[in-house]
Amino acid sequence: MEDIDAIAVLQDPVRRRLYEYVVAQGREVGRNEAAEATGVARTLAAHHLDKLTGAGLLESGSRRLSGRSGPGAGRPAKVYTRARGERSVSLPARDYRTAAELLAEAAELAGLDAGLCAAARRRGESLRGPAGPCGGLGEAVEVLAARGYEPYLEGVEGEGGPVVRMRNCPFHAVAESFPPLVCGMNLALLEGLLGTEGPVRARMDARPGECCVVVEASKNNDD
């Protein structure tokens, strides 16, 4: 299916709500859960979830949602997660990814990591504008969501404190080929965007399938 056809599947508002709910969970989601969360009938949810799977926007599988196995555990249920593939549409056609990969390769070969990070930090500061450093984790979530990082809070007070993790890396395609260079650039960008003198700080903490950067309360913050 062409990317434009796949993206067009999201035009239906119910289908879009279901897709956004599944994506936001970061785990497998069953039909019953998706239907209840979006306020639609299970049969309608199943129809739209399968449409999204057919378009390549979701992936489906089956497992026992009870967590049990053996006799009496029930039949496996269909579950859905976001598809790993990337979809984009550009009219007329553009190929920014190839340009980004060539520039990343040249920067890596020339040892320009420090210069790239400095430029990324300046860009983050420019995006932040005249505002001061980010005021807290809640504000950080809002800022990161606006930039497409899909942030979520993980952890609670008393267990090392919560951190903001991000399900999406906007630079994923290039980061796969040049991880040290691009992840360092991403960290510097977020340092500039969130600030380094406020109550939050960005640091590296790579986790498979997510952004390599997390945001946490600064060590010198007593709040």
Side-chain angles (χ1 to χ4, degrees):
M1 177 179 287
E2 295 291 336
D3 283 2
I4 192 169
D5 295 326
I7 293 171
V9 169
L10 294 172
Q11 182 176 1
D12 184 283
V14 174
R15 203 171 293 157
R16 190 181 313 123
R17 289 206 310 273
L18 286 162
Y19 174 78
E20 290 172 349
Y21 178 78
V22 172
V23 167
Q25 305 318 300
R27 55 173 171 78
E28 294 177 329
V29 174
R31 288 172 168 176
N32 288 341
E33 178 187 346
E36 182 176 350
T38 55
V40 300
R42 182 185 184 281
T43 53
L44 182 61
H47 167 74
H48 285 304
L49 289 167
D50 286 341
K51 283 281 188 182
L52 290 163
T53 302
L57 297 172
L58 296 181
E59 294 177 355
S60 65
S62 62
R63 67 176 176 87
R64 289 187 173 91
L65 298 179
S66 66
R68 304 194 306 268
S69 60
R75 297 176 58 187
K78 201 163 188 180
V79 292
Y80 302 85
T81 56
R82 175 164 53 185
R84 290 183 290 271
E86 183 177 317
R87 301 284 187 172
S88 64
V89 175
S90 177
L91 298 174
R94 296 289 188 261
D95 188 6
Y96 300 113
R97 176 175 174 175
T98 297
E101 288 177 343
L102 289 171
L103 290 169
E105 182 179 1
E108 190 170 79
L109 291 173
L112 300 178
D113 305 55
L116 177 61
C117 287
R121 195 170 290 107
R122 290 193 299 270
R123 175 57 63 91
E125 293 169 351
S126 176
L127 292 170
R128 176 157 52 95
C134 187
L137 293 182
E139 184 180 337
V141 167
E142 295 179 2
V143 171
L144 295 167
R147 303 299 303 176
Y149 283 91
E150 298 181 6
Y152 67 98
L153 278 171
E154 179 182 86
V156 295
E157 295 292 345
E159 296 181 3
V163 297
V164 178
R165 292 192 177 273
M166 295 164 265
R167 292 193 175 93
N168 182 50
C169 172
F171 316 110
H172 173 72
V174 186
E176 279 192 314
S177 300
F178 305 94
L181 181 76
V182 177
C183 291
M185 176 200 75
N186 188 27
L187 174 61
L189 177 70
L190 293 181
E191 287 175 339
L193 182 64
L194 301 175
T196 57
E197 303 300 325
V200 303
R201 66 161 188 155
R203 64 174 174 85
M204 288 286 193
D205 188 10
R207 176 186 286 184
E210 294 189 342
C211 179
C212 58
V213 179
V214 299
V215 179
E216 65 183 5
S218 298
K219 298 302 182 183
N220 58 357
N221 179 43
D222 295 329
D223 296 336

